[in-house]
Amino acid sequence: DIDDLIFDALATTTGRHLVHHLEPLPMPTLPRIHGADVKSIFMSCILPAITLLVYFTMVAPMVQDLQAVYTDLCGGSLDFVWS
């Protein structure tokens, strides 16, 4: 792996020794509901909700403003000659 080569080339001897002797931290298991953990269920519900919230509170008003600007600049009577 390229990251191991870069680490071996750039890390000090003490740093390499420290990293090679580290043990992984224990991670608690999350509770499961019908085989799916609570975090994945929560994220599956909250991400679409946040996406809709951002769309309706930020994107949609900006699109309406841009459409109004377009109408003001490019709408109306266009049968004229500028000289």
Side-chain angles (χ1 to χ4, degrees):
D1 292 284
I2 190 72
D3 58 336
D4 290 331
L5 291 173
I6 293 173
F7 176 75
D8 288 336
L10 298 177
T12 62
T13 305
T14 308
R16 269 188 263 134
H17 179 67
L18 176 67
V19 169
H20 289 296
H21 286 86
L22 287 176
E23 294 183 17
L25 294 172
M27 291 290 294
T29 58
L30 296 172
R32 295 184 174 271
I33 300 172
H34 299 291
D37 61 9
V38 175
K39 180 182 176 185
S40 63
I41 293 171
F42 177 74
M43 294 305 266
S44 295
C45 296
I46 199 70
L47 285 178
I50 290 174
T51 303
L52 289 173
L53 177 72
V54 168
Y55 176 78
F56 286 114
T57 61
M58 300 174 114
V59 177
M62 190 180 308
V63 169
Q64 289 174 351
D65 290 343
L66 289 173
Q67 287 173 340
V69 168
Y70 176 78
T71 302
D72 291 343
L73 292 176
C74 301
S77 175
L78 301 177
D79 291 339
F80 62 87
V81 176
W82 183 265
S83 58

